[in-house]
Amino acid sequence: MVKYIFVVKGQEDDHLNTFWNTLRGVFNSLIEPLTKPDTYADILNKLIMIVIYVVVAIIIINLVNKSIDQFFKLQNRNPHGRKRSVTLTALLKNVVRYVVWFIVLTTILGKFGISVTGLLAGAGVVGLAIGFGAQTIVKDIITGFFIIFENQFDVGDYVKINLNGTPITEGTVQSIGLRSTRIHAYTGELVVLPNSVMSEITNFSISNGKALIEVPIAMDEDVDKVESKLKEFLDTLHSSYYVFVSKPEILGIEDLTGNAYILKIAAETTPNNAVPGSRILRKEVANFLNQEGIKSPVPIMMQFDGQKPQ
């Protein structure tokens, strides 16, 4: 019985010695390279190569960006061409930056013995696993391609964005990306929208606008005389304000009320200036009517005596 106990105890000592020997071997394998000068020389060489790769990447990105700027200068002859150039320039610069840094990263990983092919294969498996959860991102990117290449709007355009008939925001486009678009709203805030939510886009900056106003004139004023004087005055506004593409014109009497007739005036404006043009017309026409003594309608007040039968 005593002999059996000693045998078991001896086996336990052998297992413990094996464990400590294994642990000692792992520790020595980690420490031993640090005691060799070649290890530090190899690390220094790799660090120098990393710095060289980064510097070369920065130089390449700057050179390509300058080439892109130079190329799109040819399209800056008209306002629409300038906005389109700004949009495509920003997009191409982003693409170039992503591609260059991806190449640099994979090259550096290869220098440290990390298999890029293995990483890509693993990324493919992970991507397949999370693909169902990334459908919105894919949809954003696809919509971004259509926005850019269909030229739905450019940087600097004034747009109104709806989603299934519901207004989301309205303002000036600051930047367009493949996944999202930044819009500076007319109320001052910066709105970042995923491209996929922009189902309905109204662009106010592509075609000329139309400023429309209605001017009430007292019924006892002679229509022909009022229109003749007003036409001479409106002809002078075209040269006074750049927003008017052509001379404002009188469309005629829009409506009749009990004490007034309504003259409708229209003016073609530069893109996105229909509202400012309407304000200018109202102010200038109001001043002109006051100077010429042309009367506006006065509200008619009627007093009823409740005691007399009507």
Side-chain angles (χ1 to χ4, degrees):
M1 185 68 179
V2 176
K3 181 179 179 181
Y4 174 75
I5 294 174
F6 279 114
V7 170
V8 172
K9 184 176 181 181
Q11 291 178 348
E12 290 179 352
D13 291 339
D14 291 339
H15 288 304
L16 185 61
N17 291 333
T18 302
F19 171 75
W20 283 112
N21 290 333
T22 303
L23 184 63
R24 190 180 300 108
V26 172
F27 181 77
N28 290 334
S29 64
L30 294 176
I31 297 299
E32 185 179 1
L34 299 179
T35 61
K36 297 180 180 180
D38 294 341
T39 301
Y40 297 99
D42 184 57
I43 294 176
L44 181 61
N45 290 334
K46 290 179 179 179
L47 291 176
I48 293 175
M49 291 301 299
I50 291 174
V51 173
I52 293 175
Y53 288 144
V54 171
V55 172
V56 171
I58 294 174
I59 294 174
I60 291 175
I61 291 174
N62 289 333
L63 290 177
V64 175
N65 288 345
K66 289 181 180 179
S67 300
I68 293 173
D69 291 333
Q70 189 67 27
F71 175 78
F72 281 104
K73 281 183 179 180
L74 300 176
Q75 300 186 16
N76 291 344
R77 298 177 181 177
N78 58 77
H80 183 68
R82 284 195 293 270
K83 290 190 294 184
R84 187 64 177 164
S85 297
V86 171
T87 302
L88 293 179
T89 297
L91 175 64
L92 290 177
K93 286 181 178 180
N94 285 333
V95 172
V96 169
R97 185 169 64 250
Y98 294 147
V99 171
V100 170
W101 286 120
F102 176 78
I103 294 174
V104 170
L105 178 61
T106 54
T107 304
I108 291 174
L109 291 177
K111 291 294 182 181
F112 281 90
I114 301 175
S115 176
V116 178
T117 304
L119 287 177
L120 294 178
V125 174
V126 174
L128 182 62
I130 67 174
F132 292 102
Q135 293 180 8
T136 302
I137 297 177
V138 175
K139 187 177 179 181
D140 290 338
I141 294 175
I142 293 175
T143 306
F145 270 111
F146 282 110
I147 289 174
I148 293 170
F149 292 105
E150 288 184 355
N151 196 18
Q152 296 180 12
F153 55 81
D154 289 315
V155 173
D157 285 354
Y158 190 88
V159 298
K160 181 179 180 181
I161 307 297
N162 290 352
L163 175 61
N164 299 326
T166 303
I168 299 178
T169 188
E170 180 178 340
T172 304
V173 179
Q174 279 202 338
S175 64
I176 304 173
L178 289 180
R179 198 190 69 82
S180 63
T181 297
R182 295 172 178 264
I183 297 177
H184 188 204
Y186 69 95
T187 51
E189 63 270 17
L190 179 65
V191 181
V192 181
L193 291 177
N195 291 330
S196 60
V197 306
M198 296 187 289
S199 60
E200 301 167 14
I201 302 171
T202 303
N203 193 337
F204 297 95
S205 300
I206 293 180
S207 57
N208 291 338
K210 181 75 73 173
L212 295 170
I213 66 170
E214 295 180 350
V215 182
I217 305 295
M219 187 64 75
D220 57 353
E221 293 285 351
D222 185 276
V223 177
D224 293 332
K225 290 183 178 179
V226 171
E227 287 188 347
S228 177
K229 290 182 178 180
L230 195 55
K231 182 180 183 306
E232 292 180 1
F233 169 72
L234 293 176
D235 291 344
T236 64
L237 295 182
H238 179 223
S239 58
S240 301
Y241 293 94
Y242 75 93
V243 297
F244 297 123
V245 176
S246 59
K247 296 178 180 179
E249 58 178 344
I250 301 173
L251 300 181
I253 296 178
E254 181 71 13
D255 194 9
L256 293 173
T257 63
N259 63 335
Y261 55 88
I262 310 298
L263 287 179
K264 193 164 190 175
I265 301 174
E268 186 178 3
T269 68
T270 54
N272 196 31
N273 278 316
V275 174
S278 298
R279 292 170 179 162
I280 292 173
L281 281 179
R282 292 190 190 97
K283 183 188 74 172
E284 294 292 345
V285 170
N287 290 334
F288 171 77
L289 295 179
N290 289 332
Q291 293 174 2
E292 294 294 326
I294 299 175
K295 294 179 294 183
S296 297
V298 178
I300 298 176
M301 299 183 62
M302 300 182 66
Q303 183 175 1
F304 295 94
D305 191 344
Q307 297 180 354
K308 292 182 180 181
Q310 299 182 9

